[in-house]
Amino acid sequence: MTLTGISIWTTIALLAASAVLLAVLHRLRIRPQTVWINTTLFWNQALRRTRARSLWERFRHPLTYILLLLIASLLIMALANPRPSIDARDQEHTVFVLDLSSSMSVVSSNDQTRLDQAKQKLTELVDQFAWPEGFAVVVAGSEPRLLHAMGDLRPMLEHRLESIQAAAMPTDRQQAVRLAGLLLEGRERPSVCLITDRPFDPEILASSADDQQDVAGVPSCRVVQVGEPISNAAILSAIFEPDQKNPLVGTLRVRAGVWPKGEAIIKITARRERGPILSEKELVVSEKNEPKNGLIVELEVEQLAADGGTVVVEISGDDALRVDSVVRYQLPVRRPIRVLVENEVPGWLDLLMKLDPTLVLSNSNDANVKLRVAASEPLAGPAQVVEMKTAAEQASITGRAGLDTSAGTTFEDLYCTAGIPRDHFDDSITPLVTVDKHLIAASQPTAPCPTLWLADVAWNDDSPVIRSAAWPLIVSRSIRELADWTASPISLTPTMIQQIPEMDVKQTVAMPGSRAASDLTAVEASEASTSATSFFTASQHAWTEWLLLVTLALAVAEIILHTRGKIA
Amino acid sequence: MAALFDGKFIRTIRQLGLTANGVARGGRHAEHPAIELGSGLEFRDYRGYTPGDDFRRIDWSLYNRLGRLFVRQFDQLEDFPVYVLLDLSDSMWFDTPPRANMARQVAAAVIAAAVNQHDRPQIHPFGTEFVSPLRTIQGSNGLARAIDYLGTLASLGQTDLATCIRRFASQRIRKGLVVIVSDFFDPGGAEAVTEALRSLRHSILLVQLVRESDREPDIAGEVRLVDCESGARIDVQADSAVLVAYREAYNQFQTTLDRFAAKRGMAHVQLDVERPILDQLDQLFPLGVLQHAGRK
């Protein structure tokens, strides 16, 4: 334990002086009234009877002195303001990151800016710190910088906070949080506390770490949000879903979130950059009618060519809705699969090209050939479709039994049936199509290049197998897979520009926070606030307060006991 | 002293009497029948002649009838010794009014009663030890001398009641009535007093002078009690438990005295010091204690 109020020697001197003074006063106090009597005969007998029964009587006077000395000692210790000795190795280290983005200059309903609220919150959090040397403060301004280092005198923090203002330039909170993490390297129980007016996902730090070592070193980060949630809307996400039949086009689905306070009008518009409006939607939203976590609005643009162009999505509202954002999405590029045929175009390919618009014939000068159709052995290069030689008795497969695309049939069973030597293939081959238990198609996505094996019956015979509905579909899908095509929806990464009319410079800012996020962090902030106002928290004053309380209780007990004659 | 023995008091005590039977032989002629038959005027009994008897007492008519010699016996009226042992130790002079005042008044009353019946009272004041007694108290002048004597007495030091009683018991004196006027607060307690009283061969009257504060002391809280005789000091936290124990000790003291007196046929009278003596003389005279004290 350390004493911060008065020095240890002064404390000892005060205790010794109190002991002497109390001893003198105690002797004066316990001097009883002298009464002359004619005989002590009966008093002696009475005392012999009572003193033998009462151990308390024997020690009544010493106990009184001890009680008074204890009260004086506790009072002196309270003045000494003791604090538990702190082992730096076991103490929490926290870096507070103060967001200085321009949105922090927003004035809240209590005429305080968000930055003022953030400073107050920072002061409250710092005051709860039992160990003054365990915290530091980083400000997330135009560049993150250290405002208050660990070990700096606590009163200096207020002076430094007075001098900081919200930044007029874009701020990078992630950088500031990373700086906080660097400051906490090697320290015990590190944590980062971000005080901001917007949601912040601490997981971003871990996910964006350059390597695993960075992830392991990122301390825990909690967010304390200040400011009031405002009615706003934001574009949440956009995905491009390729069309199943024609994957060169797809549907752009944009999702926007709206969190109204009261009633507001929202309008979402999607258009080609410098082009016409592709789709728009306008609707009236109301706080009463919407779910607690806000409304999700979707906007679709169908049959949008996947040509790599830019779609601009705008979201706007009336005065009741604070939003004015524009997001740009770049469409994926989907070009047809260029096919190089060495010889004549086989019948199956001719049929396939009629049915699948993703395939186009090319020539040998095209550097963008994605698929080679050859009857030779597969070579290193683009994906290939190679003829698979089968046994002669299989030459006329009618396919009366239909195409069996079951993957349960082992390939060994199949190619043995096909009469193909085993050493032509490896275990990476996947049987795709069997007809009458004869292997017709197999996929080999690995070395020397992605290969689709087709039986020679498919190459030379215009058989019912080729004409069946499943055949071209299977081959088409296999070719797309070999050409590294994906039919899954693609999540588009937005870039956003927000233009503030009052300013001349376009700047990139973060999107307004969501109500759900603000509610969550608001609860956390209020909990922290409650604990700060609690009287008996593990603060720097707790020890003194407890000592004073115990001293007062003992003094009251001493008065009661003395009044009742139990002590001298 | 004038207030102590005022006119009313003296007139009252002059009318007191002292009745005693079985007085020991050897005193002068007075009004109390002696234990032994003597040469009084009232015929009492016959007894056989023995050589040496006075011939004048031979009843010759009885000899004529019976042929044997008998002598007449008559009652012997003698005086009754009354010894007043007066405790004038320091404790008897403590408090207001001091017990010594009533003690001297009681002594004067007993002396007056004895003088009225031509007895020979004596006053033996004591404290630590006996001082010069007043032995010759006769007639009406004797009472006046006794009162003067009593008025001159002062505090005689610490109490040693038991020792004084034993010392008095060792004296070769006629048996009589010993009136002990005291508070009986001997440092040895009631046991020491009763043990000393066993040594007395006289008729005994114990006149204990008490006050309310003896049983119910007006003391509370933290006090330092100082014995007025010895100066001994004890610190006491006079709480309820201690006061209860005090009363128990006092009651036990009184019970010891009472039982001893009853067992030995002694009279034990308690007089309240804070009440006038004249209101309490009925306890002693005439149908009071002193009437029975001399009876064997």
Short mmCIF file of all heavy atoms in Angstrom, two decimals, chain B residues 239-271:
data_model
loop_
_atom_site.label_atom_id
_atom_site.label_comp_id
_atom_site.label_asym_id
_atom_site.label_seq_id
_atom_site.Cartn_x
_atom_site.Cartn_y
_atom_site.Cartn_z
N ASP B 239 -22.50 0.07 38.18
CA ASP B 239 -23.61 -0.23 37.28
C ASP B 239 -24.63 -1.10 38.03
O ASP B 239 -24.50 -1.37 39.22
CB ASP B 239 -23.09 -0.92 36.03
CG ASP B 239 -22.27 -2.15 36.34
OD1 ASP B 239 -22.35 -2.63 37.50
OD2 ASP B 239 -21.53 -2.63 35.47
N SER B 240 -25.62 -1.52 37.32
CA SER B 240 -26.71 -2.24 37.97
C SER B 240 -26.22 -3.54 38.58
O SER B 240 -26.66 -3.93 39.68
CB SER B 240 -27.82 -2.51 36.96
OG SER B 240 -27.30 -3.23 35.86
N ALA B 241 -25.32 -4.19 37.90
CA ALA B 241 -24.83 -5.47 38.43
C ALA B 241 -24.09 -5.28 39.73
O ALA B 241 -24.27 -6.05 40.69
CB ALA B 241 -23.92 -6.13 37.38
N VAL B 242 -23.28 -4.25 39.81
CA VAL B 242 -22.52 -4.01 41.04
C VAL B 242 -23.46 -3.61 42.17
O VAL B 242 -23.29 -4.05 43.32
CB VAL B 242 -21.46 -2.92 40.78
CG1 VAL B 242 -20.79 -2.51 42.07
CG2 VAL B 242 -20.42 -3.42 39.78
N LEU B 243 -24.44 -2.80 41.88
CA LEU B 243 -25.37 -2.38 42.93
C LEU B 243 -26.18 -3.55 43.45
O LEU B 243 -26.45 -3.65 44.66
CB LEU B 243 -26.29 -1.29 42.39
CG LEU B 243 -25.62 0.06 42.11
CD1 LEU B 243 -26.58 1.03 41.47
CD2 LEU B 243 -25.05 0.66 43.39
N VAL B 244 -26.56 -4.42 42.57
CA VAL B 244 -27.28 -5.62 43.02
C VAL B 244 -26.38 -6.47 43.90
O VAL B 244 -26.80 -6.97 44.95
CB VAL B 244 -27.75 -6.43 41.79
CG1 VAL B 244 -28.24 -7.81 42.21
CG2 VAL B 244 -28.86 -5.67 41.06
N ALA B 245 -25.13 -6.62 43.50
CA ALA B 245 -24.20 -7.39 44.32
C ALA B 245 -23.96 -6.72 45.65
O ALA B 245 -23.81 -7.39 46.68
CB ALA B 245 -22.88 -7.55 43.57
N TYR B 246 -23.96 -5.40 45.67
CA TYR B 246 -23.78 -4.66 46.93
C TYR B 246 -24.94 -4.95 47.87
O TYR B 246 -24.74 -5.23 49.07
CB TYR B 246 -23.68 -3.17 46.63
CG TYR B 246 -23.65 -2.31 47.87
CD1 TYR B 246 -22.43 -1.97 48.45
CD2 TYR B 246 -24.82 -1.86 48.48
CE1 TYR B 246 -22.39 -1.19 49.59
CE2 TYR B 246 -24.79 -1.10 49.62
CZ TYR B 246 -23.57 -0.76 50.18
OH TYR B 246 -23.53 0.01 51.32
N ARG B 247 -26.14 -4.88 47.36
CA ARG B 247 -27.31 -5.13 48.21
C ARG B 247 -27.28 -6.56 48.74
O ARG B 247 -27.64 -6.81 49.89
CB ARG B 247 -28.59 -4.90 47.41
CG ARG B 247 -28.93 -3.45 47.23
CD ARG B 247 -30.32 -3.26 46.67
NE ARG B 247 -30.29 -2.12 45.73
CZ ARG B 247 -30.25 -2.23 44.42
NH1 ARG B 247 -30.28 -3.42 43.86
NH2 ARG B 247 -30.19 -1.16 43.66
N GLU B 248 -26.88 -7.46 47.90
CA GLU B 248 -26.79 -8.85 48.36
C GLU B 248 -25.79 -8.97 49.51
O GLU B 248 -26.05 -9.66 50.50
CB GLU B 248 -26.37 -9.75 47.19
CG GLU B 248 -27.43 -9.91 46.12
CD GLU B 248 -26.94 -10.72 44.93
OE1 GLU B 248 -25.75 -11.12 44.94
OE2 GLU B 248 -27.74 -10.97 44.01
N ALA B 249 -24.67 -8.30 49.39
CA ALA B 249 -23.66 -8.36 50.45
C ALA B 249 -24.19 -7.73 51.73
O ALA B 249 -24.00 -8.27 52.84
CB ALA B 249 -22.40 -7.64 49.98
N TYR B 250 -24.88 -6.61 51.61
CA TYR B 250 -25.42 -5.95 52.81
C TYR B 250 -26.50 -6.80 53.45
O TYR B 250 -26.52 -6.97 54.67
CB TYR B 250 -25.98 -4.58 52.41
CG TYR B 250 -26.56 -3.81 53.56
CD1 TYR B 250 -25.74 -3.08 54.42
CD2 TYR B 250 -27.94 -3.82 53.81
CE1 TYR B 250 -26.27 -2.37 55.49
CE2 TYR B 250 -28.47 -3.13 54.89
CZ TYR B 250 -27.64 -2.39 55.71
OH TYR B 250 -28.15 -1.72 56.78
N ASN B 251 -27.38 -7.34 52.66
CA ASN B 251 -28.44 -8.18 53.20
C ASN B 251 -27.87 -9.41 53.88
O ASN B 251 -28.37 -9.85 54.92
CB ASN B 251 -29.42 -8.58 52.10
CG ASN B 251 -30.24 -7.41 51.59
OD1 ASN B 251 -30.40 -6.40 52.28
ND2 ASN B 251 -30.74 -7.53 50.37
N GLN B 252 -26.85 -9.95 53.30
CA GLN B 252 -26.23 -11.11 53.91
C GLN B 252 -25.60 -10.75 55.24
O GLN B 252 -25.65 -11.53 56.20
CB GLN B 252 -25.17 -11.69 52.96
CG GLN B 252 -24.57 -13.00 53.46
CD GLN B 252 -23.62 -13.61 52.46
OE1 GLN B 252 -23.43 -13.08 51.37
NE2 GLN B 252 -23.02 -14.71 52.85
N PHE B 253 -25.02 -9.57 55.34
CA PHE B 253 -24.46 -9.08 56.60
C PHE B 253 -25.55 -8.98 57.65
O PHE B 253 -25.39 -9.46 58.79
CB PHE B 253 -23.80 -7.72 56.34
CG PHE B 253 -23.33 -7.00 57.56
CD1 PHE B 253 -22.09 -7.30 58.11
CD2 PHE B 253 -24.11 -6.04 58.18
CE1 PHE B 253 -21.64 -6.64 59.24
CE2 PHE B 253 -23.67 -5.38 59.31
CZ PHE B 253 -22.42 -5.68 59.85
N GLN B 254 -26.64 -8.38 57.28
CA GLN B 254 -27.73 -8.22 58.24
C GLN B 254 -28.31 -9.58 58.65
O GLN B 254 -28.62 -9.82 59.82
CB GLN B 254 -28.84 -7.36 57.63
CG GLN B 254 -28.46 -5.91 57.39
CD GLN B 254 -28.07 -5.20 58.67
OE1 GLN B 254 -27.03 -4.56 58.75
NE2 GLN B 254 -28.90 -5.32 59.68
N THR B 255 -28.45 -10.43 57.70
CA THR B 255 -29.00 -11.76 58.00
C THR B 255 -28.10 -12.51 58.96
O THR B 255 -28.57 -13.20 59.88
CB THR B 255 -29.17 -12.55 56.69
OG1 THR B 255 -30.04 -11.82 55.80
CG2 THR B 255 -29.76 -13.92 56.96
N THR B 256 -26.81 -12.37 58.77
CA THR B 256 -25.87 -13.05 59.66
C THR B 256 -26.03 -12.56 61.10
O THR B 256 -26.07 -13.35 62.06
CB THR B 256 -24.44 -12.83 59.18
OG1 THR B 256 -24.31 -13.32 57.85
CG2 THR B 256 -23.44 -13.50 60.09
N LEU B 257 -26.13 -11.24 61.24
CA LEU B 257 -26.31 -10.69 62.59
C LEU B 257 -27.62 -11.15 63.19
O LEU B 257 -27.68 -11.55 64.37
CB LEU B 257 -26.26 -9.17 62.53
CG LEU B 257 -24.88 -8.52 62.36
CD1 LEU B 257 -25.00 -7.00 62.37
CD2 LEU B 257 -23.93 -8.98 63.46
N ASP B 258 -28.69 -11.10 62.39
CA ASP B 258 -30.01 -11.46 62.91
C ASP B 258 -30.04 -12.92 63.35
O ASP B 258 -30.56 -13.26 64.43
CB ASP B 258 -31.08 -11.22 61.83
CG ASP B 258 -31.33 -9.74 61.60
OD1 ASP B 258 -31.00 -8.95 62.50
OD2 ASP B 258 -31.85 -9.39 60.51
N ARG B 259 -29.51 -13.79 62.54
CA ARG B 259 -29.55 -15.21 62.86
C ARG B 259 -28.73 -15.51 64.10
O ARG B 259 -29.11 -16.32 64.95
CB ARG B 259 -29.05 -16.01 61.67
CG ARG B 259 -30.03 -16.06 60.52
CD ARG B 259 -29.51 -16.89 59.38
NE ARG B 259 -30.48 -16.97 58.29
CZ ARG B 259 -30.26 -17.54 57.11
NH1 ARG B 259 -29.08 -18.10 56.87
NH2 ARG B 259 -31.20 -17.57 56.20
N PHE B 260 -27.58 -14.83 64.18
CA PHE B 260 -26.74 -15.07 65.36
C PHE B 260 -27.46 -14.60 66.61
O PHE B 260 -27.45 -15.27 67.65
CB PHE B 260 -25.41 -14.35 65.18
CG PHE B 260 -24.49 -14.50 66.35
CD1 PHE B 260 -23.73 -15.64 66.50
CD2 PHE B 260 -24.39 -13.49 67.32
CE1 PHE B 260 -22.88 -15.79 67.59
CE2 PHE B 260 -23.54 -13.63 68.39
CZ PHE B 260 -22.79 -14.79 68.55
N ALA B 261 -28.05 -13.43 66.53
CA ALA B 261 -28.75 -12.89 67.71
C ALA B 261 -29.91 -13.79 68.10
O ALA B 261 -30.12 -14.08 69.29
CB ALA B 261 -29.23 -11.48 67.40
N ALA B 262 -30.63 -14.27 67.12
CA ALA B 262 -31.78 -15.14 67.43
C ALA B 262 -31.30 -16.46 68.03
O ALA B 262 -31.91 -16.99 68.96
CB ALA B 262 -32.58 -15.38 66.16
N LYS B 263 -30.22 -16.94 67.50
CA LYS B 263 -29.72 -18.23 67.96
C LYS B 263 -29.19 -18.13 69.39
O LYS B 263 -29.36 -19.05 70.20
CB LYS B 263 -28.61 -18.69 67.02
CG LYS B 263 -28.07 -20.05 67.33
CD LYS B 263 -27.02 -20.45 66.29
CE LYS B 263 -26.46 -21.82 66.64
NZ LYS B 263 -25.40 -22.22 65.66
N ARG B 264 -28.58 -16.99 69.71
CA ARG B 264 -27.98 -16.84 71.05
C ARG B 264 -28.89 -16.13 72.02
O ARG B 264 -28.50 -15.83 73.15
CB ARG B 264 -26.68 -16.03 70.91
CG ARG B 264 -25.63 -16.74 70.07
CD ARG B 264 -25.22 -18.05 70.72
NE ARG B 264 -24.56 -17.79 72.00
CZ ARG B 264 -23.24 -17.69 72.13
NH1 ARG B 264 -22.46 -17.80 71.09
NH2 ARG B 264 -22.72 -17.44 73.33
N GLY B 265 -30.11 -15.88 71.60
CA GLY B 265 -31.05 -15.22 72.51
C GLY B 265 -30.73 -13.76 72.72
O GLY B 265 -31.10 -13.17 73.72
N MET B 266 -30.03 -13.17 71.79
CA MET B 266 -29.72 -11.76 71.92
C MET B 266 -30.83 -10.95 71.28
O MET B 266 -31.57 -11.44 70.43
CB MET B 266 -28.42 -11.43 71.20
CG MET B 266 -27.21 -12.15 71.71
SD MET B 266 -25.78 -11.69 70.72
CE MET B 266 -24.58 -12.84 71.37
N ALA B 267 -30.90 -9.72 71.71
CA ALA B 267 -31.82 -8.81 71.06
C ALA B 267 -31.04 -7.98 70.04
O ALA B 267 -29.91 -7.57 70.32
CB ALA B 267 -32.48 -7.90 72.10
N HIS B 268 -31.64 -7.79 68.91
CA HIS B 268 -30.98 -7.02 67.85
C HIS B 268 -31.95 -5.97 67.38
O HIS B 268 -33.02 -6.28 66.83
CB HIS B 268 -30.58 -7.95 66.70
CG HIS B 268 -29.89 -7.23 65.58
ND1 HIS B 268 -29.89 -7.72 64.30
CD2 HIS B 268 -29.18 -6.08 65.56
CE1 HIS B 268 -29.22 -6.90 63.51
NE2 HIS B 268 -28.77 -5.89 64.27
N VAL B 269 -31.65 -4.72 67.65
CA VAL B 269 -32.53 -3.61 67.32
C VAL B 269 -31.81 -2.73 66.30
O VAL B 269 -30.61 -2.46 66.44
CB VAL B 269 -32.89 -2.80 68.59
CG1 VAL B 269 -33.69 -1.57 68.20
CG2 VAL B 269 -33.64 -3.67 69.57
N GLN B 270 -32.57 -2.30 65.28
CA GLN B 270 -32.02 -1.35 64.30
C GLN B 270 -32.73 -0.02 64.47
O GLN B 270 -33.97 0.04 64.42
CB GLN B 270 -32.23 -1.88 62.88
CG GLN B 270 -31.36 -3.06 62.54
CD GLN B 270 -31.52 -3.51 61.10
OE1 GLN B 270 -32.51 -3.16 60.45
NE2 GLN B 270 -30.56 -4.28 60.60
N LEU B 271 -31.97 1.02 64.67
CA LEU B 271 -32.51 2.36 64.78
C LEU B 271 -32.06 3.18 63.58
O LEU B 271 -30.88 3.14 63.21
CB LEU B 271 -32.04 3.02 66.08
CG LEU B 271 -32.42 2.33 67.40
CD1 LEU B 271 -31.90 3.10 68.59
CD2 LEU B 271 -33.95 2.18 67.49
#
